[in-house]
Amino acid sequence: MKTISTENSHGGTQGVYVGRSEACDCDMTFAVFLPPQAKARKLPVLWYLSGLTCTHANVMEKGEYRRLAAELGMIIVCPDTSPRGEAVPDEPDNWQFGKGAGFYVDATEPPFAQNYRMYSYIVDELPKLIEAEFPVDMDRQGIFGHSMGGHGAITIALKNPGRFGSCSAFAPISHPSVSGWSKPAFRKYLGADEARWRAYDACSLIEDGHRFPEFLVDQGTADSFLEDGLRPEELRQACETAGISLRLRMQEGYGHSYLFISTFMEDHLRWHARRLGD
């Protein structure tokens, strides 16, 4: 691991780091906020997964999480959204696929299977590095994210319920197997057999028996991606059928941007803090 930068903030440290990823076969950048309490003891860790076109920097610069994370004593880890580098295959004119659009899946189709293994990176590889380098209590992990990252957070929690004590999302892509902006990406990453897509689709995972105790989801009513891309009502229906507690808050007049996310960031941090304890 190499340190790119560190800055003091709210008594803690916001750092940016890079490490070689075997899963993605490239260097991967990530951000870690250490609150002041990290100088004395291990702390709960909260993973934030970003959305399409984003890097680690978007939430770090616009998410407004540090003040409360310092107060609550929570470490925040912000990974990148895809592999990077000249050798990584991409579609530069397509913001819904390739670099910045890893969808938190392990691709199976060439040429993308070589690098686009974001599920393994987030679930297996990066946690080992974070545990080795930072004072995290791996028995107290939460996960949340926005849009594509909300999809990633919910699906990862459903597939790893013993690891995470909490999960929430801002405007998640709830049913990517049928959403217009994710179906083409799933086909290129995972192949034409849509049965294989179910392993990375929140609604399908729930239908197939995966469970997580509860979710908090905030969704803006003025989000231009609401009907085709995000489909929160389908997540509500899947959770109701399965008996999963879902607190879906439709926030009147809010859109899809970080103005929306930063408005409700404090609610989400407190949600996770109550469930992860200290």
Side-chain angles (χ1 to χ4, degrees), residues 56-264:
H56 68 282
N58 295 73
V59 67
M60 186 181 78
E61 295 170 354
K62 298 182 286 188
E64 301 182 19
Y65 58 79
R66 279 174 288 269
R67 180 194 61 78
L68 188 59
E71 175 186 319
L72 297 172
M74 299 182 70
I75 295 173
I76 312 292
V77 179
C78 308
D80 202 350
T81 56
S82 76
R84 307 278 178 177
E86 293 183 3
V88 174
D90 188 25
E91 292 183 5
D93 297 327
N94 183 359
W95 64 274
Q96 297 173 335
F97 185 76
K99 294 178 185 177
F103 277 93
Y104 304 100
V105 306
D106 278 354
T108 57
E109 301 301 296
F112 309 106
Q114 177 70 23
N115 304 102
Y116 287 85
R117 298 181 53 80
M118 289 299 295
Y119 179 85
S120 288
Y121 175 69
I122 297 296
V123 172
D124 298 323
E125 190 173 38
L126 185 58
K128 292 177 183 177
L129 178 60
I130 296 296
E131 184 178 19
E133 298 288 345
F134 300 97
V136 292
D137 182 349
M138 299 300 277
D139 291 329
R140 293 185 291 167
Q141 298 185 62
I143 190 166
F144 69 150
H146 169 232
S147 193
M148 177 184 73
H151 136 76
I154 294 174
T155 56
I156 288 171
L158 284 166
K159 293 167 75 171
N160 300 274
R163 175 180 296 189
F164 297 101
S166 57
C167 179
S168 71
F170 304 97
I173 304 174
S174 298
H175 204 351
S177 294
V178 300
S179 296
W181 66 353
S182 46
K183 284 181 67 177
F186 271 35
R187 185 169 292 109
K188 292 173 187 177
Y189 286 138
L190 302 172
D193 182 0
E194 296 187 12
R196 294 162 62 184
W197 303 3
R198 299 181 70 85
Y200 301 104
D201 183 305
C203 291
S204 298
L205 285 167
I206 293 170
E207 290 173 1
D208 292 345
H210 291 265
R211 296 291 182 265
F212 196 79
E214 57 181 345
F215 299 111
L216 168 65
V217 172
D218 275 314
Q219 171 65 63
T221 63
D223 191 321
S224 60
F225 303 113
L226 178 60
E227 297 301 326
D228 179 49
L230 305 175
R231 301 172 178 255
E233 289 302 324
E234 294 178 29
L235 180 62
R236 187 202 299 272
Q237 182 177 351
C239 286
E240 287 181 353
T241 300
I244 296 173
S245 175
L246 169 64
R247 187 178 183 189
L248 175 59
R249 306 192 305 183
M250 301 301 295
Q251 303 292 358
E252 186 65 32
Y254 282 90
H256 197 70
S257 75
Y258 269 90
L259 297 174
F260 157 64
I261 296 166
S262 63
T263 301
F264 301 103

